[in-house]
Amino acid sequence: MPVKQVSGRVTLTHAKGSSVELLLYGATVISWKSGTITKPQPIERLFVSSKAALDGSKPVRGGIPVIFPCFGAPTHPEHMGLPQHGFARNQVWTFDSIVMDNDAGVSVRLTLEPTAGITAKYDKPFHLAYVVTLAEHQISTDLHVTNTSTSTAYPPDNLEFQALFHNYIRAPANDVLVFPLQNKSYYDKTELSEEAKSKPKVETRAGVDVRQFTDSVYEDAGGKYEVTWPGGGVEITARELSDVVVWNPQQAAGAKMGDMEDGGWERYVCVEPGYVRGFAKIEPGKTWVGQQVISVIHHERRINQL
């Protein structure tokens, strides 16, 4: 069977051997295995800390957590009762259906609606549908956000939110380069003062590395990125997610994380497409869809760091 659901986990298996595993808790993808044309044996493409909680007690440190309706600490007045990164990553989603099952790939849909626990902190009506699709050499994740308000009042009862896919790409962090981000405006969240954090910088590097503690938010970043390292890489293409975050705590911050395995920061880079500068806005009855596709790069690519 290409789709199995056991004990709160959903496994997708492609006929050519690639696979995806996700939890109903947080709708978090915790494994994506894929080979390449030249090396068809599937290998793990995502990083999950060996200390990560996979029992639903806290958000997963690794994989692809879903961030909604706020990125980081809440700043929107309607989000002030929420924890960092919102609630989507620490709620149990519902398995809705198998969307596709054919030679091209297999996909499933999970859904999340307001619960008593969510409504106590966030009283906006919404419906989330999350579609995860596995193909031979790629995974795609689509977040459908619907404003289910039936209000006809003016001004309209809009749903305002942020959304992001917090991808932990398994990679040798000290050898990674992310591009093309040169000349893009970004905000450096490693700065010490709030004033410095809120002042935009311009990226001068042809390839962005994470050899030092990195937490950069690039706005209007183009929607297509390559994450490369000697011997491998992935390409990420995003739609309706105009920003991208590049993050790696390195030892300076990583050693302070209780659920980060020792030296774990050396084994991944987070490249996270999102809508996080400002807020997406949808009117009652309307739906917004944010999508990413992560594809294996089959042949090694090189870029000279400037």
Side-chain angles (χ1 to χ4, degrees):
M1 292 291 290
V3 178
K4 293 182 181 179
Q5 183 183 171
V6 180
S7 301
R9 296 191 181 198
V10 181
T11 302
L12 285 62
T13 305
H14 190 275
K16 296 293 182 66
S18 58
S19 64
V20 160
E21 186 174 2
L22 64 155
L23 303 179
L24 294 182
Y25 178 79
T28 304
V29 175
I30 58 170
S31 174
W32 167 43
K33 295 178 181 178
S34 172
T36 65
I37 291 173
T38 55
K39 296 180 180 180
Q41 180 66 30
I43 62 171
E44 183 59 63
R45 301 291 174 174
L46 301 177
F47 171 86
V48 175
S49 169
S50 61
K51 293 184 177 180
L54 301 178
D55 60 358
S57 61
K58 63 182 296 186
V60 177
R61 176 67 67 189
I64 309 178
V66 179
I67 308 304
F68 175 91
C70 59
F71 171 70
T75 58
H76 193 288
E78 295 171 351
H79 301 162
M80 299 313 290
L82 297 174
Q84 173 170 300
H85 290 338
F87 55 76
R89 65 182 185 147
N90 58 10
Q91 297 292 318
V92 177
W93 292 55
T94 299
F95 182 88
D96 180 76
S97 61
I98 298 174
V99 179
M100 179 176 72
D101 176 11
N102 56 39
D103 291 343
V106 57
S107 62
V108 296
R109 180 189 292 112
L110 308 184
T111 58
L112 181 67
E113 296 182 329
T115 63
I118 293 174
T119 303
K121 300 177 181 179
Y122 179 75
D123 62 0
K124 300 292 288 186
F126 68 89
H127 177 276
L128 301 183
Y130 188 50
V131 178
V132 177
T133 304
L134 171 69
E136 183 179 0
H137 297 119
Q138 67 182 33
I139 180 176
S140 65
T141 62
D142 300 58
L143 182 65
H144 300 242
V145 182
T146 301
N147 182 351
T148 57
S149 173
T150 57
S151 171
T152 58
Y154 186 85
D157 185 21
N158 291 331
L159 183 63
E160 299 187 9
F161 62 92
Q162 296 171 322
L164 172 138
F165 297 126
H166 203 308
N167 304 317
Y168 285 75
I169 304 298
R170 179 178 287 272
N174 291 333
D175 298 323
V176 158
L177 290 174
V178 184
F179 65 99
L181 294 172
Q182 192 172 30
N183 300 321
K184 300 295 185 183
S185 174
Y186 73 100
Y187 296 83
D188 184 353
K189 294 170 68 177
T190 69
E191 290 283 3
L192 298 179
S193 71
E194 290 303 317
E195 180 181 7
K197 289 179 182 179
S198 62
K199 185 177 181 180
K201 299 180 179 181
V202 176
E203 182 58 74
T204 59
R205 294 169 292 181
V208 173
D209 68 82
V210 293
R211 287 192 285 268
Q212 298 180 0
F213 174 28
T214 301
D215 192 358
S216 300
V217 182
Y218 295 83
E219 60 180 353
D220 295 326
K224 188 173 183 178
Y225 319 103
E226 290 192 359
V227 187
T228 66
W229 57 90
V234 297
E235 179 182 89
I236 303 174
T237 303
R239 296 178 60 185
E240 299 300 326
L241 302 167
S242 57
D243 311 312
V244 70
V245 178
V246 178
W247 177 70
N248 183 291
Q250 285 294 349
Q251 186 171 8
K256 300 175 184 177
M257 299 175 181
D259 56 358
M260 177 57 70
E261 65 185 61
D262 185 38
W265 49 87
E266 298 175 356
R267 303 177 189 114
Y268 73 88
V269 60
C270 284
V271 180
E272 316 162 26
Y275 195 126
V276 297
R277 293 295 302 169
F279 299 91
K281 181 186 298 184
I282 47 178
E283 297 178 350
K286 302 294 186 181
T287 298
W288 172 96
V289 182
Q291 180 195 63
Q292 70 168 356
V293 179
I294 311 178
S295 305
V296 173
I297 291 176
H298 297 283
H299 305 286
E300 183 172 351
R301 302 179 188 176
R302 297 180 183 276
I303 179 174
N304 295 321
Q305 187 175 6
L306 301 180

